[in-house]
Amino acid sequence: MYGLAVLCFLLLESGVCGFGILRGESLTHQVITERAILNITVQVCRSLALSEGRDFSFPPQPFAASSVAAACGASKSSKSFIKTIQHIKTKNWQTDILYALSAHRHCDNEKLIEGKKLITDGLSVIKASNNQQNFVSATSSLGRILHTLQDFYSHSNWVEIGSKFPNSNLIRGNAHVGNIAAKTRATCRSCSGDDCRNNILKDILDNKILTSGYFSQNPFSKPSG
């Protein structure tokens, strides 16, 4: 089986999948990250097996690291596989602790272009680290940029403007993320108490303008837009 960092890198480079959103269900960064790693590892192992003329049996669902390693013919490496997944998950959630006020790391405050640059720069680090077989550096970078990538979807209105698939331009160096709202442009109306459903303005949705959440620890500050 290829090094885990290579498999995980394919998570960002492989074909995109449609969103499967379940009402009322919210998943943590750690859960999303582990599910993605296991899913893409199974896909890669299956592709390798087919290309080599070998049979491949899918592990039982929901996927677990040990059963995925076994399906990939790497049972002896399952402990290392589990450890590496945990390392990636840790680097992911640490972003919320170490960079809580860094807007671009969370795609807040309309800093979507800056968030994209962080992702593409991180991909360059992953590629260089893979070439040097420095998989600790590669997986550390992967965990951090996955946080930003995940936050793009949870902190922006990408889904609300009707997008059915991930924004593949987020991992392409010179690609256009989308039409981002100016900080001075009104994008939503006030929530009704804690209910913020359907509060994005109609013209923002109709024109497919990207906007993000705003985060501040100052209780007296009022964000533009």
Side-chain angles (χ1 to χ4, degrees), residues 33-127:
T33 299
E34 181 166 358
R35 286 186 181 181
I37 292 171
L38 295 177
N39 284 335
I40 198 64
T41 301
V42 168
Q43 292 177 35
V44 171
C45 288
R46 179 178 181 273
S47 295
L48 287 173
L50 294 178
S51 69
E52 296 170 358
R54 295 184 286 109
D55 292 332
F56 180 83
S57 298
F58 282 91
Q61 294 194 30
F63 295 150
S66 57
S67 61
V68 168
C72 292
S75 296
K76 294 181 180 180
S77 302
S78 61
K79 288 185 179 180
S80 176
F81 187 38
I82 294 170
K83 182 178 179 180
T84 305
I85 292 174
Q86 186 58 49
H87 177 72
I88 295 170
K89 289 163 59 178
T90 297
K91 292 301 178 182
N92 187 317
W93 71 256
Q94 281 181 345
T95 301
D96 270 334
I97 305 301
L98 300 176
Y99 305 102
L101 301 180
S102 177
H104 69 292
R105 292 180 186 273
H106 306 286
C107 292
D108 289 331
N109 302 9
E110 312 295 14
K111 292 188 177 293
L112 304 180
I113 293 176
E114 294 86 347
K116 173 189 180 301
K117 185 176 187 304
L118 190 112
I119 293 168
T120 54
D121 286 351
L123 282 173
S124 296
V125 171
I126 292 171
K127 291 177 181 179

Side-chain angles (χ1 to χ4, degrees), residues 60 78 101 132 159 192:
S78 61
L101 301 180
Q132 298 166 8
V159 172
S192 176

